[in-house]
Amino acid sequence: FRSPTNPPNNYSEEIAMPSLGNEKSVADTHVWLTPPHIIEALGAFDLDPCASVDRPWDTALKHYTEEDDGYSKDWLGRVWMNPPYGPELDRWLHKLSSHGNGIALVFARTETRAFFRNVWASETARGIMFLRGRLKFHKPDGTVGGTAGAPSCLIAYGDGNLQALRECELDGVVLEIGTKDDLAYEWI
């Protein structure tokens, strides 16, 4: 228990927090494409820094793939991000949070270190849409894969992207999560 009169010296020492994306996949691929209806519902994006090399549909005007090392590139405009779901997720969400203009699709693991650092304590995250049910991601050839191993959510960075979540016709609930001056959580 954390109280104002007795704060922990190191948050991770007091509360165990998984890193997000800690489930092992038994699938024949590690590439899972965003269902096209999600991209269509959210409007046009300028950049997808985590695009698949092989993709049957575009997710943005410009794509960086694993071969391009999209993380190391400059990001411009409105970003769509379906990032790697393993240990690298934290750094990808941090970069999108720093960029401040985009939407990320991740598992709704709200208790994780990555979520606390880059959503609850972000100065640019404005809202989360918790999607109803579990998504069926697509394989690189466009075929539908199995049901996701966890519920998914969309994280909006920037006010315009919060508005896009509110106005889209995806089935889910939007939670507004604060402003730069009123953070949902202060990372210790």
Side-chain angles (χ1 to χ4, degrees), residues 45-82:
F45 290 90
D46 299 305
L47 174 67
D48 180 347
C50 301
S52 175
V53 173
D54 298 313
R55 59 186 178 276
W57 52 81
D58 287 331
T59 51
L61 296 174
K62 184 171 183 71
H63 300 89
Y64 294 142
T65 67
E66 190 173 28
E67 294 173 357
D68 300 316
D69 186 13
Y71 181 82
S72 70
K73 302 282 189 192
D74 289 334
W75 294 4
L76 300 172
R78 186 174 186 232
V79 173
W80 166 256
M81 192 173 75
N82 177 358

Side-chain angles (χ1 to χ4, degrees), residues 116-188:
F116 266 80
R117 287 182 181 168
N118 304 296
V119 181
W120 302 129
S122 170
E123 292 186 1
T124 62
R126 292 291 176 264
I128 305 165
M129 174 179 263
F130 294 96
L131 298 168
R132 183 185 304 268
R134 294 199 178 183
L135 292 179
K136 289 191 175 191
F137 288 91
H138 291 245
K139 295 179 181 181
D141 66 3
T143 59
V144 176
T147 303
S152 297
C153 67
L154 297 164
I155 305 165
Y157 293 92
D159 293 328
N161 291 301
L162 171 59
Q163 193 64 30
L165 292 185
R166 286 185 184 134
E167 294 174 358
C168 77
E169 295 186 12
L170 295 171
D171 191 6
V173 175
V174 176
L175 172 69
E176 191 171 337
I177 58 170
T179 66
K180 183 177 179 181
D181 298 322
D182 184 28
L183 294 176
Y185 176 82
E186 186 174 338
W187 185 256
I188 297 174

